[in-house]
Amino acid sequence: MTFSVRLSAAVAIVAAAGLLASASASPASAGWEWLGNKNYVNCLQLFYTGNFLMPANASAAERAARHEQGRRYCNRQFYGHD
């Protein structure tokens, strides 16, 4: 019993070390480079927090669809694609 517990712990440690070693140290290669584009982030925040385009009686699904439309608009304006 103790051998299998020790073996499982050793395997978990080796797997975690391998995962950490394979991770990139650069956050830009992880897909977070858009955070440096302040105008783009401001556009996203405007469409997420601004309710100026929301109907007063919008359902949760309608709100989500409007937020998605705003995100796509910001992507087209700053990156040229949806």
Side-chain angles (χ1 to χ4, degrees), residues 9-10 13-14 17 24 29-32 37 40 42 45-46 48 52 56 58 64-65 69 71 74 76 79 81:
I13 290 171
V14 169
S24 174
S29 66
W32 298 98
N37 187 344
Y40 175 67
N42 288 339
Q45 288 174 342
L46 177 69
Y48 185 74
F52 54 90
Q69 288 172 350
R71 185 194 63 80
C74 294
R76 283 191 306 274
Y79 294 110
H81 61 83

Side-chain angles (χ1 to χ4, degrees), residues 35-68:
L35 284 173
N37 187 344
K38 295 299 179 190
N39 291 329
Y40 175 67
V41 172
N42 288 339
C43 181
L44 291 176
Q45 288 174 342
L46 177 69
F47 277 100
Y48 185 74
T49 59
N51 288 330
F52 54 90
L53 296 176
M54 286 295 167
N57 58 351
S59 68
E62 290 170 333
R63 287 184 176 282
R66 294 285 178 132
H67 290 311
E68 178 65 15

